[in-house]
Amino acid sequence: MSQAALRSGVYSGTVFHRRVQPRVHALRYRLFMLLVDLDEWEALVGRLRWLGAGRFGLMTLRQRDHGDGSSTPLKTQIERRLTEAEIPTGGRIQLLTLPRILGYGFNPLSVYFCHDATGRLTAILYEVSNTFGGRHSYLMPVGGASGPVRQAVDKAFHVSPFMDMDLTYRFEVVPPAAIENETARVSITVEDAEGPMLFTGFRGVRAEMNDANLRRAWLSHPLLTLKVIAGIHWEAVRLLLKGLRLRGGVTPAYPVTVGGPPEHGARHA
């Protein structure tokens, strides 16, 4: 496979985060994410100088950083979840994620775009990690409508110590396309009974997955994952100073919440 044929890509862009209740609080910063076609994983880490697998390096991809953390191939894990949820599979699965930088990694949100054998997008899986070492996923079927993908699911996993559990996530996604300079977007609105309380997301522009673009992305953000985790804790301090109190939460025993049409609600897998 030539590099020009790769479906994987580098997305440079911006993370935004705006809280509107009970206190107004906002942040915005630039970063990059990698879109990794799971069928290309071994080819990427074997060919690209700046992208390693399971070793210390400028950037590292480790399958154990995702899914259940086992040695089972990541695509096998995701396809198993799709089958259990009766969602068509058999096509490519692409992962939008942060790589490890200089051996350190933390991914608040990784997103899997799942396709069937015809190439149709059938589901999006949102893999959420918190700073307490927990991980939970929301597997959401995709309907046939054109335009941005819109989905909703009730919160099942404790993430921020400043937010209650009785919340709803509303996603609006522009899936990545294998076209240079195209934009991908993942936006999340968090709502309570009174309405929206938080808007957050990532918007990035695609570049080819090659060593030149990886080096350029790293030079722009040399301490990317350290920046993310440091930013999370710094923002926590700011929220405490604004008077927000800490909330408790739970890590569910089941690893995946499967979303569905509103009339059917969510189930667990």
Side-chain angles (χ1 to χ4, degrees), residues 7 14 29 43 77 91 95 118 126 139 175 185 197 219 244-245 248 254 262 267:
R7 293 183 294 269
T14 305
Y29 57 90
Q77 293 184 42
L95 168 63
T118 70
Y126 305 89
L139 177 57
R185 175 168 55 87
M197 63 181 303
L219 288 172
L244 271 69
R245 62 180 180 84
Y254 47 90
R267 61 189 190 278

Side-chain angles (χ1 to χ4, degrees), residues 88-92 115-120 122:
T89 183
R92 68 187 185 277
H115 301 77
D116 65 13
T118 70
R120 181 175 63 95
T122 57

Side-chain angles (χ1 to χ4, degrees), residues 208-255:
E208 182 182 347
M209 179 80 80
N210 58 38
D211 279 315
N213 286 335
L214 287 172
R215 183 173 62 251
R216 186 177 298 111
W218 182 82
L219 288 172
S220 299
H221 313 281
L223 299 177
L224 175 67
T225 46
L226 288 173
K227 171 182 174 181
V228 170
I229 194 69
I232 289 172
H233 287 93
W234 172 239
E235 293 306 316
V237 171
R238 293 179 63 194
L239 288 171
L240 284 171
L241 292 175
K242 288 186 176 184
L244 271 69
R245 62 180 180 84
L246 299 177
R247 273 85 162 175
V250 297
T251 297
Y254 47 90

